[in-house]
Structure formats: structure tokens, C-alpha cells
Amino acid sequence: MQMPTPDHRPRPRILCVVGARPNFMKMAPIMAALSEYAPELDARLVHTGQHYDKSMNHQYFDALGIPAPDINLEVGSGSHAAQTADVMRRFEPALDEIRPSAVLVVGDINSTLACALVAAKKSIPVIHVEAGLRSFDRSMPEEINRILTDQLSDLLFTTERHCRDNLLREGIAETRIHFAGNVMIDTLHRNLQRAVPVADILRHAGRKDFPADRGGFAVVTMHRPSNVDDPHILGRLLDTIAQAAHRLPVIFTIHPRTRSMIDKFGLRRKLDVPRLLALPPMGYLEMLGLMKDARVVLSDSGGIQEETTALGVPCITLRNNTERPVTVDEGTNILAGQDPERILALLDETLRTGGKVGRIPEFWDGKTSVRIAQTIRSWAGKGFPR
């Protein structure tokens, strides 16, 4: 019997996993780069459905050019334990169906850890993009996800030089670690010219009259449990945002979790302030348009810390720590915590001086996904060694 030629061998499959909004911005350039720079690999996509709403396909998949998922697990929301368990339960049959040579996960959400754990238990190599980030605050669920996912991974791509040291301290073999840069910045570079103008956002919201001239407004986002799940802390932060609106116009894009807590605690009246515009969550291109023209951003988002550094926009982070210290050491980010006096003092200083001036960190050059694809291609050529 004639043996199949190498040209007829099935292509090795890389199963890429997304589950929540931040994943989409990271996965879009990775899948594009795998297609262009590692065409001998068959990249497939699973969406766990950890975050899902009807507008998501337009706001993220369509806008960023992400291919439709091969499988949608439709997990939905739930407690951390329930959601992680449900992803694991639904992901295993997907692995059996697709039979990948490796599983690629990004970031630090529950789906990241759940899928890495299932793959590792089935002896399938795991690739982790955005490895080694540490806040050193284990009260954050994301910190637990980061640490455990890195322990399970066979190939680890880091965004900052110091991440290597974190991984080495935790016993990760140096041969598994690759400094590739920040893939989020690839997406930013590719889409900056497509960012939705602020005037269009205001017009769509029916607020053409809102005084947000170029460079003359602040953008606020807030969603972390430590900021929004306690009525006293959330109330103080909303009062702080209202005080900020006395200084310059504020556009507050309200995360569904935050909106739910505002309603639960009866705090909606705190948003009824002149020059404070509350908007629903934005799509990627809309949020990019807001950030790039803002005078300052106040946020507790890790991704926004990175994006504002890349854009050169001052960022006041409403947290006491960050897993992205390069945004503080080299970028435009300042940690403010939850204290209203400190937040407003930093805002006043930013408005007076123009804000912190940073520089673009190493390998935040829009080519991270290419480096990732080329490394995976080389690794696959060696037979996916574990």
C-alpha cells in the first residue's frame, strides 16, 4: 500500500481560545499572523462564551476581523467556581472533536485557566500569551488564573522583560519563556486610523451638545470587584467622578457589572451631574476613539493602562497595584488607589502640567503577533516538545 506523502499529512492544529472582551483584541492579530507566517498550521477558534451579548459580533469579531468561532461553548456568567467548572466541562468535548496539537490561551480570565487545565490533563501542550504578569495580590481572581495557567503552560510569551524574572522565581524553565512584546498594541496599531471619532459617538448617543472638544475631556471606566462591589467604595468613587466633572467634561463608559451595582445600591442619582455623560460599554473602535483624544483617562482596567501608554495619554489608575508595572515605570500610568483626595490631586496635576510623559516600552511595536507566530512555527517544527 502506498504511504501518504508529506504533502498529504494533516496540518498540525492550534486551537485558540477566547472568552471575554479583552481576549478578542489579543487574539485578532495572533490568528492573522498564524495564517500569514505559519500557513502550515491549522488555526481553529473556540469561544467559551464567558462574555457574550448580541452586539459582540459587530463590536469585536467583525470590527477586528476575527474569524467566526469554530465552536461556541455558550457558558455565560456565574460565580468563579461555577464558570470555571462549566468551561472545563464543555471544553473537553471540543478538544476531542478538534484534536489539536496545542491549545493557545491569552490573558487571565477564568476561561484561560479552565481551558489550559483541561488541555494539560489530556497531555496537549499549552501556549500562554501574556504570561508572567503579576500584581502580587492574590485577592484578585485574575492573579490566581495567571499563576496557575503559567504553571500548566509549555510555551510562554511575555509582554515585559520583568515577566521572565517572575516566571523563573516560580520554577518555570527558561527555555519555555519567550519575550515577544504586547500583542494588544498590534491591534491598536492596526486600528488607530479606524477609531470612531468622538463627535460620531456623541451623535449616536444623542448628545451632540456635550462639550467634548478635542483634548478637553476625561474618559472613565471602572469594573473591578474591589471598586464596584462595596456600596461605600463605589459611592465614594462616583462622588470623585462627579468632582472630576467640575474640572473638565467626563465621559463614563459604564461596564454592565458596574451598572448593576449602581442600581443595586441605589446610587444612580450620583451620575446626575452637569458635564458627566454616562454611556453604555463601547465597542473597540469606539473606545479607541475616546481614549486617543482624551486629555486623561481614569480606569481600573489593565488593558487600558497599556493602551494609554501606547497612545501617550495620561492614565490615572484606580488601583493600589498593577500587574503591568512597565506602564508605571516607563509609560503614562500613575497608581492612585481609591482615595478621592489623591485621585483628584493627580487629576489637578495632570490638567496643570499636561500629565505624565512616558515612552513606548520595548517590543510594543505592532509586530508582537509576528514574533509569536514565528516562534510557534519553529516549536511545531520540532514536534511540540513539552
Side-chain angles (χ1 to χ4, degrees):
M1 183 175 67
Q2 186 176 7
M3 297 298 292
T5 65
D7 291 340
H8 292 89
R9 293 173 186 167
R11 291 188 297 161
R13 288 177 179 165
I14 307 296
L15 183 56
C16 302
V17 177
V18 295
R21 294 171 188 82
N23 290 173
F24 306 144
M25 287 89 83
K26 298 165 189 173
M27 193 61 75
I30 292 173
M31 294 204 72
L34 285 172
S35 176
E36 182 174 356
Y37 294 94
E40 66 273 30
L41 302 178
D42 179 14
R44 303 288 184 93
L45 184 66
V46 166
H47 182 8
T48 68
Q50 179 175 326
H51 284 176
Y52 181 81
D53 58 55
K54 292 181 180 178
S55 64
M56 187 169 291
N57 281 349
H58 169 68
Q59 289 186 337
Y60 291 94
F61 279 77
D62 295 346
L64 299 179
I66 305 173
D70 295 277
I71 296 176
N72 191 325
L73 303 183
E74 299 180 346
V75 169
S77 60
S79 70
H80 287 287
Q83 192 176 66
T84 302
D86 208 14
V87 173
M88 292 178 66
R89 182 175 62 85
R90 298 187 189 203
F91 185 60
E92 185 171 25
L95 281 184
D96 293 338
E97 177 182 340
I98 295 178
R99 301 177 64 85
S101 302
V103 169
L104 187 153
V105 296
V106 296
D108 53 20
I109 63 171
N110 290 337
S111 295
T112 302
L113 173 59
C115 294
L117 183 55
V118 174
K121 282 181 172 288
K122 293 177 78 69
S123 297
I124 299 171
V126 175
I127 305 165
H128 187 202
V129 174
E130 208 179 65
L133 294 174
R134 298 291 182 268
S135 67
F136 303 101
D137 178 2
R138 294 202 180 193
S139 69
M140 297 176 62
E142 298 90 347
E143 185 78 353
I144 304 301
N145 292 342
R146 294 178 199 119
I147 293 169
L148 296 179
T149 300
D150 286 340
Q151 288 294 324
L152 296 168
S153 296
D154 300 274
L155 193 61
L156 300 95
F157 291 103
T158 62
T159 62
E160 309 170 14
R161 287 279 184 190
H162 82 277
C163 293
R164 170 184 170 276
D165 298 329
N166 294 338
L167 294 170
L168 292 176
R169 279 196 301 270
E170 294 170 8
I172 306 296
E174 188 167 14
T175 54
R176 297 184 176 189
I177 304 168
H178 298 265
F179 176 40
N182 193 331
V183 74
M184 285 271 285
I185 308 308
D186 289 23
T187 296
L188 186 148
H189 276 271
R190 294 182 184 196
N191 291 282
L192 194 55
Q193 297 304 314
R194 301 173 60 221
V196 177
V198 176
D200 290 353
I201 296 170
L202 296 176
R203 183 168 54 252
H204 185 264
R207 290 299 307 272
K208 290 191 295 183
D209 61 328
F210 190 75
D213 296 327
R214 181 180 176 86
F217 64 95
V219 172
V220 176
T221 79
M222 191 165 60
H223 73 281
R224 293 193 177 275
S226 58
N227 281 337
V228 305
D229 284 5
D230 181 289
H232 176 67
I233 293 173
L234 178 57
R236 286 203 313 165
L237 287 171
L238 292 177
D239 287 336
T240 304
I241 293 167
Q243 288 294 315
H246 292 304
R247 291 157 166 81
L248 80 170
V250 172
I251 298 176
F252 183 11
T253 66
I254 305 183
H255 189 278
R257 181 191 189 100
T258 308
R259 173 66 74 181
S260 175
M261 293 302 177
I262 288 172
D263 292 342
K264 177 181 177 179
F265 301 139
L267 299 174
R268 184 170 291 203
R269 59 180 174 78
K270 291 182 180 291
L271 300 176
D272 296 331
V273 177
R275 302 207 306 173
L276 172 55
L277 176 60
L279 294 177
M282 297 283 104
Y284 179 76
L285 298 178
E286 288 80 7
M287 196 65 201
L288 185 56
L290 289 177
M291 287 191 297
K292 79 179 186 66
D293 285 342
R295 190 165 178 185
V296 60
V297 175
L298 296 89
S299 178
D300 59 9
S301 163
I304 285 178
Q305 294 173 51
E306 296 174 328
E307 289 164 331
T308 49
T309 279
L311 292 167
V313 174
C315 181
I316 298 172
T317 294
L318 309 177
R319 291 170 52 186
N320 293 312
N321 55 50
T322 179
E323 64 283 353
R324 295 163 168 86
V326 73
T327 64
V328 176
D329 297 339
E330 301 181 22
T332 60
N333 184 25
I334 299 177
L335 296 179
Q338 300 168 328
D339 178 57
E341 290 188 6
R342 174 166 169 76
I343 295 168
L344 292 172
L346 289 171
L347 176 60
D348 288 338
E349 181 180 353
T350 296
L351 297 179
R352 185 176 64 254
T353 65
K356 185 178 179 183
V357 177
R359 64 183 179 88
I360 305 300
E362 184 181 8
F363 279 3
W364 290 28
D365 55 4
K367 300 176 183 178
T368 294
S369 56
V370 175
R371 288 186 283 269
I372 289 173
Q374 290 174 337
T375 301
I376 292 175
R377 181 184 188 185
S378 174
W379 184 59
K382 298 173 184 176
F384 302 93
R386 305 198 68 189

